[in-house]
Amino acid sequence: PAVPARLSGGRSQCQGRVELLQAGAWASVCAVGWDLEAARVLCRQLGCGRPRPVPVPCSPFVAEGSTVGLRHVLCVGQEPEVEHCELHPGDAGTCPS
């Protein structure tokens, strides 16, 4: 089964914080664990067109009450969905700083 993914907290369905459904709960991805290649895959998966790069300090922060579930998402950019990328679990304490 596909790993459900969404963008949350933005002004549209194609803006916001990257979240993946893990163990029945939505979990965010560390901002520095996400790059333009992963964004290309997710935008294609969600039907959002081409991604725009956002510098890490300006990236949406994890919402209050939201947990970090992935430290890194490594994609080459050609994967059909985020689930086909290399997913590295983690929590806020394991996010690179």
Side-chain angles (χ1 to χ4, degrees):
V3 173
R6 71 180 183 186
L7 294 171
S8 178
R11 294 183 209 172
S12 76
Q13 69 180 22
C14 293
Q15 282 184 328
R17 180 179 58 258
V18 177
E19 295 182 337
L20 300 177
L21 190 63
Q22 294 188 308
W26 289 102
S28 298
V29 177
C30 294
V32 294
W34 186 258
D35 63 14
L36 193 54
E37 299 307 321
R40 281 189 183 105
V41 174
L42 181 63
C43 287
R44 186 172 47 250
Q45 179 178 346
L46 298 178
C48 291
R50 293 174 47 140
R52 290 185 299 171
V54 177
V56 170
C58 300
S59 297
F61 292 101
V62 174
E64 191 173 319
S66 178
T67 60
V68 171
L70 291 166
R71 183 172 43 94
H72 287 289
V73 175
L74 303 173
C75 304
V76 296
Q78 301 304 316
E79 296 87 350
E81 296 177 334
V82 172
E83 70 177 86
H84 297 282
C85 299
E86 192 176 322
L87 307 177
H88 295 262
D91 55 33
T94 63
C95 285
S97 51

